[in-house]
Amino acid sequence: MTQRTIVVTGAESGIGAACAAAFGRCGERVAILYYADRAAAETTAAAVSAGGGTALTVQAHVDDEGSVEAAFAAVEAEWGPADVLVNSAGLNMSGVTVRAMALAQWRRLLDTDLTGAFLTSRRFLTGRGTATGDAAIIHISSIHAYAVRAGGADYCAAKGGLSNLVETLAIEEAPNRVRVNAIEPGMILTPMNARAQQDDTYRRTLEQNIPLGRAGSADEVADLAVFLASDQARYITGARIVIDGGLSLMQALGA
Ligand SMILES: NC(=O)c1ccc[n+]([C@@H]2O[C@H](COP(=O)([O-])OP(=O)(O)OC[C@H]3O[C@@H](n4cnc5c(N)ncnc54)[C@H](O)[C@@H]3O)[C@@H](O)[C@H]2O)c1
């Protein structure tokens, strides 16, 4: 099988790191786009190499147009146009109500979790030019794209907007054989959920809300990303796939 080029953002941590490692185990070329922690990106690169893949680490701030441009140009200089984009870079909700939220907080979240998805998708697509081979974009969204939470207006709005971006892109890019999908995780044990990782009592309390009885792992999300990027998913585009152990089904409890 020929190696594909997979670009993963937020690949120095959590779900992004797990996705990079999983594509590495498939023997792919994996570009590890990281925000600031170069050492963590090198750890991901080592995992990609150990799995039989080829790794490249490149810094990218997904909310910055010039940074995204430079990162994709660096990847293309090594390997040519990318075949798959997994956009995992993101910030968590602020926990601040709208009444109390500063405009700067709102903008920071939207810039990262929504505009970042626009900038990386656009640069991935323009980098492909008129290429006609199969390609895929996978955005890591959240169940909070549709199951909202008080204190999460910034995050819920960004991920909700991401749903419409994914669906619009899916229609626009279908003629170019680029499939575009979103993964909507529930509670996944990554640094974004640091307290649940460190505090067993806290984690177990939250896990009582999950029908399958436990939080998910970054590797379980990565398995889904690998599937969505594969030929087995060739007829799936514009989909938003929930991976949450049933958590979001509990929203109407007591209704
Ligand atoms: N962990 C969960 O429970 C969970 C649930 C639903 C959705 N998600 C989503 O999954 C994605 C990955 O989250 P995670 O759990 O792996 O968290 P994480 O904190 O481990 O990883 C997020 C990564 O994004 C990077 N990042 C932040 N701002 C950036 C920017 N401006 N430019 C580039 N990179 C930036 C961080 O450096 C980090 O590496 C996020 O989009 C998050 O919203 C996570």
Side-chain angles (χ1 to χ4, degrees), residues 12-13 15 35 60 62-63 88 90 140-141 155 159 186 188 190 193:
E12 74 272 41
S13 180
I15 292 169
Y35 184 65
V62 298
D63 55 324
S88 185
I140 310 298
S141 182
Y155 188 78
K159 298 298 194 186
I188 310 297
T190 71
N193 274 321

Side-chain angles (χ1 to χ4, degrees), residues 13-206:
S13 180
I15 292 169
C19 288
F23 281 105
R25 288 192 293 278
C26 300
E28 310 282 21
R29 290 185 293 251
V30 185
I32 295 151
L33 271 52
Y34 67 96
Y35 184 65
D37 190 341
R38 168 130 212 190
E42 293 301 342
T43 301
T44 305
V48 168
S49 303
T54 311
L56 176 70
T57 55
V58 187
Q59 189 168 30
H61 292 188
V62 298
D63 55 324
D64 181 297
E65 188 175 21
S67 177
V68 170
E69 167 58 35
F72 274 85
V75 174
E76 289 161 2
E78 288 287 323
W79 295 333
D83 302 292
V84 175
L85 166 65
V86 180
N87 176 43
S88 185
L91 296 171
N92 201 359
M93 64 182 65
S94 59
V96 177
T97 61
V98 171
R99 278 184 185 228
M101 192 179 295
L103 178 58
Q105 166 60 35
W106 171 265
R107 284 196 169 136
R108 185 162 161 264
L109 211 310
L110 271 285
D111 283 353
T112 305
D113 289 30
L114 182 55
T115 305
F118 161 73
L119 289 173
T120 53
S121 297
R122 190 183 62 173
R123 186 56 186 77
F124 171 83
L125 292 167
T126 56
R128 293 186 56 73
T130 54
T132 53
D134 291 332
I137 295 175
I138 297 155
H139 287 295
I140 310 298
S141 182
S142 166
I143 55 171
H144 295 301
Y146 62 92
V148 299
R149 254 177 82 170
D154 44 9
Y155 188 78
C156 299
K159 298 298 194 186
L162 180 54
S163 300
N164 285 339
L165 175 63
V166 162
E167 293 181 4
T168 307
L169 276 170
I171 296 171
E172 289 180 357
E173 291 301 324
N176 301 323
R177 293 173 60 180
V178 182
R179 295 181 298 102
V180 186
N181 294 294
I183 293 177
E184 297 182 336
M187 179 186 180
I188 310 297
L189 294 175
T190 71
M192 193 173 273
N193 274 321
R195 186 171 167 204
Q197 279 188 308
Q198 290 151 12
D199 179 343
D200 280 354
T201 310
Y202 175 73
R203 192 193 73 241
R204 278 198 295 269
T205 304
L206 294 182

